């Protein structure tokens, strides 16, 4: 994975310039609105002054990645790809190469349930204003979805679309990637206990001294309630739910996770949570498992070492991956 050298330098300089003595240790916690969601950074700082500077550095990294990967920002690299990649190769940043490459890995594992080119259909929905496309409008958009028609040249750092009408959106993986970058910055500064979250994607460094942190999985139909609380340390967890961005019409729920095969909201489950070492992976996998549903989703997760899942199905029943089932029976 490539990192931005400028941020590491910034971090180094801020640490060198910060007053070295007199500051106390404290648990620092801050939330800001970024990447279309609430981003929170919490950690144990041995020195409050340096800790505050570190918080700013971490949020600056979120901001940088948001500006780069947000398709709705006309100045982003992503917007340029969507505008120009039909005509020929577009030069992109190393971060986008990494994220797109990883997204292809999950596309192949899931036979296309995870597909960043879902966006040609995704763009036709407006959840805030309750708009969904008619079937005539959806058909050509659905025909443009196929990650295998995205040409990624990792050597030259370029992307080209082989299909007319194609578009990409990294909304199912970019927040996880940003959380991992934040955790790298915290760890490089010596932080030993932290939680970084961007919406439904969290990563935890360390524990609470003598015990693991308890992380709750939201109830998909009762806001403020949890379906289960699990102990976690040094890992990432992401939840994809049909309750995040949605509207209902004629008893049908239209929400932001699409089945690339139909171009419509995936309806097999209500929420899928995935635990994995990296937040980029838990993020992409929670979306993937949501689309795959209980049986295919759990068999994918059970085939991946170190990865676990908790699914709330369409009737509200809970399903656990094999390793979690074993640990709950211990
Ligand atoms: P949230 O963004 O609410 O944290 P998810 O991690 O589940 O939730 O990601 C949902 C986002 O993933 C959508 O807003 C969209 O940008 C993107 N997405 C939706 N369907 C797919 C899909 N089939 N493959 C890849 N990305 C998807
Ligand atoms: Mg996700």
């Amino acid at each position: 994975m490539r990192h931005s050298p400028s941020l590491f330098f910034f971090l180094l300089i801020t640490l060198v310039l910060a007053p070295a003595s007199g500051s106390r240790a404290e648990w620092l916690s801050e939330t800001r609105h970024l990447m279309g969601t609430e981003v929170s950074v919490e950690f144990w700082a041995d020195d409050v002054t340096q800790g505050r500077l570190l918080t700013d550095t971490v949020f600056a990294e979120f901001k940088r990645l948001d500006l780069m990967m947000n398709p709705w920002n006309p100045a982003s690299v992503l917007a340029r790809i969507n505008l120009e990649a039909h005509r020929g190769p577009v030069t992109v940043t190393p971060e986008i190469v990494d994220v797109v490459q990883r997204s292809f890995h999950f596309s192949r594992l899931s036979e296309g349930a995870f597909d960043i080119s879902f966006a040609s259909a995704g763009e036709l929905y407006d959840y805030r204003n309750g708009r969904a496309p008619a079937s005539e409008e959806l058909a050509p958009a659905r025909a443009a979805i196929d990650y295998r028609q995205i040409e990624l040249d990792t050597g030259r750092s370029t992307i080209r679309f082989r299909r007319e009408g194609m578009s990409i959106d990294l909304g199912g993986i970019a927040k996880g990637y940003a959380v991992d970058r934040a955790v790298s910055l915290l760890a490089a500064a010596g932080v030993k206990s932290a939680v970084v979250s961007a919406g439904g994607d969290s990563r935890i460094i360390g524990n609470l001294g003598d015990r693991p942190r308890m992380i709750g999985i939201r109830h998909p139909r009762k806001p403020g309630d949890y379906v289960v609380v699990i102990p976690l340390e040094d890992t990432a967890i992401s939840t994809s739910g049909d309750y995040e961005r949605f509207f209902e019409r004629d008893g049908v729920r239209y929400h932001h996770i699409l089945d690339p095969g139909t171009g419509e909201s995936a309806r097999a489950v209500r929420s899928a949570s995935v635990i994995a070492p990296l937040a980029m992976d838990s993020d992409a996998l929670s979306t993937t498992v949501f689309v795959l549903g209980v049986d295919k989703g759990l068999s994918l997760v059970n085939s991946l070492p170190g990865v676990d899942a908790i699914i709330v199905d369409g009737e509200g029943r809970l399903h656990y991956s094999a390793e979690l089932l074993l640990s709950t029976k211990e």
Side-chain angles (χ1 to χ4, degrees), residues 171-173 201 238-240 282-287:
I173 189 167
D201 305 300
S238 295
T239 297
S240 293
S282 62
D283 187 7
L285 278 170
S286 69
T287 309

Side-chain angles (χ1 to χ4, degrees), residues 239-298:
T239 297
S240 293
D242 65 2
Y243 51 89
E244 288 286 349
R245 228 169 299 153
F246 75 96
F247 66 91
E248 273 182 359
R249 203 165 61 201
D250 304 327
V252 179
R253 186 176 281 242
Y254 294 85
H255 65 83
H256 70 316
I257 302 168
L258 299 191
D259 180 342
T262 62
E264 292 177 33
S265 303
R267 297 216 167 80
V269 305
R270 291 179 183 171
S271 91
S273 300
V274 170
I275 301 165
L278 294 179
M280 171 160 65
D281 293 354
S282 62
D283 187 7
L285 278 170
S286 69
T287 309
T288 307
V289 170
F290 190 102
V291 174
L292 288 176
V294 177
D295 294 343
K296 285 186 182 166
L298 285 182

